[in-house]
Amino acid sequence: MTTDRFNTEAFFAALNTARLSRQMTWKEVAETSGVAASTLSRMGSGAKPDVNGLAALLDWSNLNAEMFILRTSDGDRPEPESLARITALLRADPKLSKNNAKLMEDIVITTYNRLKGT
């Protein structure tokens, strides 16, 4: 039985965040990344990119593919906590001051804790 291991939805959401932070249109993303606009459109509908499209988009966005690989429960390496990953990313963001990264971290943790049981 084959299980989907790549979280396309999360990857597309991260791409969208990168696109918005760069104030780009999807057409501009397609042009600068070298990926067909139709590929981006299909990904927005849940389709997985081909390996070349994935590589180009990872390169364009500076994202790490490992962030979007779903681990099985019997894997030999536990999945890092979501909040730990978010905290690391916020604190590594050169666009945020240390205080602003901490503020964002507090907002995310508070919101996460409030919503996780719903």
Side-chain angles (χ1 to χ4, degrees), residues 34-52:
V35 173
S38 60
T39 297
L40 295 171
S41 178
R42 285 192 305 275
M43 285 178 61
S45 298
K48 293 184 179 356
D50 64 28
V51 70
N52 289 327

Side-chain angles (χ1 to χ4, degrees), residues 2-43:
T2 304
T3 304
D4 286 341
R5 299 284 308 273
F6 188 76
N7 190 337
T8 305
E9 183 179 340
F11 180 58
F12 190 77
L15 285 176
N16 190 43
T17 300
R19 175 186 73 84
L20 292 172
S21 72
R22 297 175 189 185
Q23 300 178 336
M24 297 176 76
T25 65
W26 282 114
K27 182 179 179 184
E28 291 168 327
V29 172
E31 291 169 358
T32 58
S33 68
V35 173
S38 60
T39 297
L40 295 171
S41 178
R42 285 192 305 275
M43 285 178 61

